Structure formats: C-alpha cells, structure tokens
Amino acid sequence: MKRQFILFCITLIVIAPMCLGQSSPGKSSPKPGSNESAISDLEKSAWEAYKNKQADAFKALMSKDYYGVYSEGVKNLDGELADMAKTDLRDYSFADVKVVFPHPKVAVVTYKATVQATHGGTDISGTYNSGSVWIQQGKKWVGAFHTEAKAQ
C-alpha cells in the first residue's frame, strides 16, 4: 500500500506541471461577450462614418480588399466611397444583432437595419437584412465584406 501511494505521488508530481502548463480556452482569447460588443461597435462606427460622409474614417475601418454585395452589384472600397457621396443617410437603427466567430480572427455580424435614406435622389428607406465580415489584421479588426437585401 505504501509503495502504491509513493508511485501515485510521483505520478502526480510528474503530470501536474504538464496539466498546469496548458492554457485554458478562456485565457487564450478575450471573453466572447467583449469581442461581440467590440465588433458591434465597429459596425456602428462604419455606419456613422458613412452617414456623416467621413470617407477617411470609413476607409480606416475597412480592409484594402473590402467588397460589398448589393442588388445593384458588387463594389470594392472605392465604389463604396463613391456611393457615400451620392447617399443621404438621415437615420438608421439596428435590431436582432448577432455576432459569431467561426475563427478567432474572423467575425460575422448579422442584423436588421432600418434606414431613412436617399441615394441619387431616390428614396431607399426601409428595413434591410444585413451582414458583415470583420477580420483581425495584426491587432486591428477591419471590415472585409458587407451585404444587405431589402426585407420583403
């Protein structure tokens, strides 16, 4: 019995440092709630920059390889900035915001956006089903993709 106890203690001493050396999932990445909030805040910042026609602020939030997909076609970042000049976004609100992380450096946000706006003089107000993809480049999150479709 004494011999088994000694072997148990030695095994415990050998195994304990290996167990303690492993990082737990919660410590290797920030809390999910804080990441979700950060991504939601970035999405709102992009909308605010667009609404206020702050092209430099909007551009700073987006990846150089940004693309948007809309009913009228596919736009790169330059196309999005050109449309900003033609759009009068008076008001917007988000509902049903959901953020998921299919990879630690990729965030997908989906929501309903209700907007009061015109584009080129045409009223485009309504509710849109929207989605964006944010990617982490270094320590910074940037928008890589956005799409929206007017709700029926």
Side-chain angles (χ1 to χ4, degrees):
M1 179 78 167
K2 188 176 182 183
R3 184 175 181 192
Q4 289 175 340
F5 179 75
I6 292 172
L7 285 173
F8 172 76
C9 290
I10 291 172
T11 304
L12 186 60
I13 291 170
V14 170
I15 293 176
M18 289 186 281
C19 293
L20 294 174
Q22 295 179 0
S23 64
S24 67
K27 290 184 180 179
S28 64
S29 62
K31 295 179 183 175
S34 65
N35 273 349
E36 291 169 14
S37 178
I39 297 301
S40 294
D41 290 346
L42 286 168
E43 188 75 13
K44 288 176 186 172
S45 294
W47 277 75
E48 274 300 303
Y50 196 93
K51 176 184 174 191
N52 297 321
K53 299 185 186 297
Q54 297 170 325
D56 290 339
F58 184 83
K59 196 173 180 179
L61 290 167
M62 299 299 143
S63 166
K64 293 174 188 158
D65 299 321
Y66 167 89
Y67 278 92
V69 176
Y70 308 95
S71 60
E72 65 273 10
V74 178
K75 299 175 194 166
N76 63 12
L77 185 55
D78 289 336
E80 200 75 60
L81 293 171
D83 269 4
M84 180 188 295
K86 301 174 196 170
T87 304
D88 179 24
L89 177 59
R90 295 179 304 280
D91 193 29
Y92 67 91
S93 62
F94 295 163
D96 302 326
V97 178
K98 292 178 183 59
V99 180
V100 296
F101 295 87
H103 182 276
K105 293 187 176 202
V106 177
V108 177
V109 58
T110 59
Y111 54 96
K112 292 185 184 298
T114 302
V115 302
Q116 298 296 319
T118 58
H119 176 73
T122 303
D123 185 30
I124 58 169
S125 300
T127 300
Y128 291 80
N129 296 311
S130 303
S132 295
V133 176
W134 291 82
I135 58 172
Q136 190 175 24
Q137 292 179 338
K139 293 187 179 189
K140 181 180 178 185
W141 285 92
V142 293
F145 178 81
H146 180 77
T147 189
E148 53 192 43
K150 198 162 189 176
Q152 299 296 326

